[in-house]
Amino acid sequence: MTTVGEFMTTRLVTMDGNDTLISAAQEMRDSAIGDVVVTDGDNVVGIVTDRDITVRGVAENMDPGSTRLNQITTRDVITVSQYDDAVAAADLMRTYAVRRLPVIDDGRLVGLISMGDLAVEREPQSVLADISADDPNN
C-alpha cells in the first residue's frame, strides 16, 4: 500500500482568515502555488484556491484589498492522514470533487496532497503528471 505521506507536499502556505484576497494572491504568486490553507491558530479552517479568489471574490465584485479570506474560504474540508492509502485519498477527491486534501496528524496540519501529486506518483506517464511535475510557468 502506498500511503499519502510518501508523496504529500510538506511545503505549505497557511494564512489567517482575516488576511485579504490580495495578500493570498501575492503569496500564491510568490510561492508558485495555487492554494493556501486557511487556519485559526493550529486549526485548519478551510482552503482558498486561486480560482476561489477569481470566482468567489473578484467575479462577485468583492474588493480584493478589503475582502477577507474567511469570506470566500471553502470550509468543511475533507482531510486525510499521512498513513492513509493513496488510492483512498484519490477516491475521496473523486467523491467530493476536490483537487486537494489537507493532511492532518494528531490534529496538526503536516502536508497537502493534490490530484497532481497522485498523478505524478501513480500515473507518471499521464498528461496530468507531466504538467504537475513541470516547473510553474507564472
Side-chain angles (χ1 to χ4, degrees):
M1 172 178 87
T2 304
T3 64
V4 167
E6 292 177 50
F7 53 93
M8 69 184 182
T9 299
T10 56
R11 195 186 103 221
L12 301 171
V13 175
T14 62
M15 297 187 79
D16 186 85
N18 290 315
D19 289 326
T20 64
L21 302 190
I22 283 185
S23 297
Q26 290 170 338
E27 185 63 49
M28 289 180 201
R29 176 201 61 206
D30 295 346
S31 299
I33 57 174
D35 61 87
V36 294
V37 178
V38 180
T39 58
D40 180 12
D42 288 337
N43 298 321
V44 173
V45 174
I47 193 164
V48 169
T49 66
D50 47 5
R51 186 172 190 282
D52 293 332
I53 292 171
T54 303
V55 174
R56 293 182 183 171
V58 176
E60 293 297 326
N61 208 25
M62 294 178 165
D63 176 13
S66 63
T67 302
R68 305 295 174 196
L69 291 180
N70 58 18
Q71 292 176 258
I72 66 162
T73 296
T74 299
R75 299 183 185 279
D76 301 325
V77 291
I78 307 304
T79 63
V80 292
S81 162
Q82 62 184 327
Y83 307 108
D84 286 344
D85 178 43
V87 173
D91 288 342
L92 283 172
M93 288 180 192
R94 184 179 306 113
T95 299
Y96 292 97
V98 296
R99 295 183 174 114
R100 300 165 182 90
L101 299 172
V103 182
I104 307 294
D105 187 27
D106 289 329
R108 190 174 59 86
L109 180 66
V110 295
L112 190 78
I113 187 83
S114 71
M115 189 181 305
D117 296 330
L118 290 169
V120 168
E121 178 65 24
R122 309 284 297 165
E123 298 178 31
Q125 302 305 317
S126 70
V127 173
L128 179 57
D130 191 42
I131 293 167
S132 299
D134 225 0
D135 289 332
N137 65 359
N138 52 0

